Amino acid sequence: FDYVGSRAFMRHVDTRLPRYRDFFLEAERSTGIDWRLIAAIAYQESHWDPQAISPTGVRGMMMLTTHTANMMEVGDRQDARSGILGGAHYYLRVRRKVPERIGEPDRSWLAVAAYNLGFGHVEDARILTQFQGADADEWEEVRERLPLLSDKAWFSRVQRGFAPGQTAVAYVDNVRRYYEILMWLDSHEILTSQDVPPSVIGAGG
């Protein structure tokens, strides 16, 4: 998450987020998931662009596949409100699969990883984490093992095989950073202001 990326994020906070904030708030009311987390996932997926399309065909604000959109009853993935609500409900669906004994924030970060990579692959990473004697209920421990899913010596031992685990690690890291900045801005009531102290942009996390 470099300086240039941070500046782009803050620019989009000012120019794009105000258009869609009510939809994120509606998604929070509908799912119980913090709207700022939903917004952070959406930014990682599309930079808050409801017209976004990936080379693999996923599209919209939350980059839903056709299958996921159908499952969440999203008729038009590129309609901002439909896409946000569908993605939020899909995230909630994935989060509910995470064992109830796992507390926060680990539960949320495991669910974010599963939103990106698929729940089954995250479960495989948890199995490898347990195999190595670490706590499979802690996100930081699973985070260390996710890259093993691209190493044949390890992914051949689990049910679902290869997965780009390092990509999921970077995905969650970015979502966490966006979420932290949105929480900071929201707490200071300057979420749509361009007048953000440089220390916020350059701070580590």
Side-chain angles (χ1 to χ4, degrees):
F1 197 160
D2 60 17
Y3 181 81
V4 173
S6 299
R7 294 301 302 179
F9 176 67
M10 291 309 307
R11 185 172 67 253
H12 290 142
V13 163
D14 187 65
T15 61
R16 296 185 181 181
L17 182 57
R19 304 178 214 167
Y20 308 116
R21 181 174 177 173
D22 285 348
F23 298 149
F24 289 122
L25 288 166
E26 182 181 355
E28 177 182 89
R29 292 192 295 271
S30 181
T31 64
I33 302 298
D34 188 334
W35 76 269
R36 297 164 300 185
L37 178 57
I38 300 168
I41 294 171
Y43 189 80
Q44 173 63 23
E45 290 287 354
S46 69
H47 286 194
W48 297 325
D49 177 7
Q51 301 304 310
I53 303 176
S54 84
T56 58
V58 296
R59 63 183 61 200
M61 185 77 81
M62 303 291 281
M63 283 294 183
L64 303 177
T65 65
T66 301
H67 173 74
T68 299
N70 290 338
M71 183 168 56
M72 296 293 105
E73 299 181 351
V74 176
D76 181 359
R77 288 177 287 170
Q78 291 178 291
D79 175 74
R81 178 179 177 273
S82 297
I84 289 168
L85 287 170
H89 278 277
Y90 180 67
Y91 172 77
L92 179 62
R93 178 189 178 96
V94 171
R95 189 177 179 279
R96 285 173 171 165
K97 294 181 179 182
V98 178
E100 290 186 7
R101 68 176 180 275
I102 299 177
E104 292 295 349
D106 300 282
R107 186 180 185 85
S108 289
W109 303 136
L110 288 166
V112 171
Y115 185 97
N116 172 250
L117 196 61
F119 181 77
H121 289 302
V122 174
E123 279 295 283
D124 283 348
R126 293 183 65 238
I127 289 169
L128 293 179
T129 302
Q130 192 172 35
F131 178 80
Q132 292 190 347
D135 189 346
D137 292 351
E138 291 187 10
W139 162 246
E140 290 299 331
E141 297 290 354
V142 178
R143 181 184 181 281
E144 287 187 24
R145 277 79 184 182
L146 273 165
L148 297 177
L149 295 179
S150 60
D151 181 342
K152 188 174 183 179
W154 290 100
F155 73 67
S156 61
R157 306 184 185 195
V158 290
Q159 180 178 352
R160 297 158 193 89
F162 173 86
Q166 185 59 51
T167 300
V169 168
Y171 182 97
V172 177
D173 287 350
N174 284 348
V175 169
R176 289 181 67 171
R177 180 64 167 156
Y178 299 140
Y179 180 49
E180 288 165 4
I181 294 175
L182 289 173
M183 287 195 297
W184 192 95
L185 295 173
D186 202 24
S187 69
H188 289 74
E189 300 181 350
I190 54 174
L191 198 49
T192 58
S193 171
Q194 288 182 315
D195 185 21
V196 180
S199 59
V200 177
I201 306 301

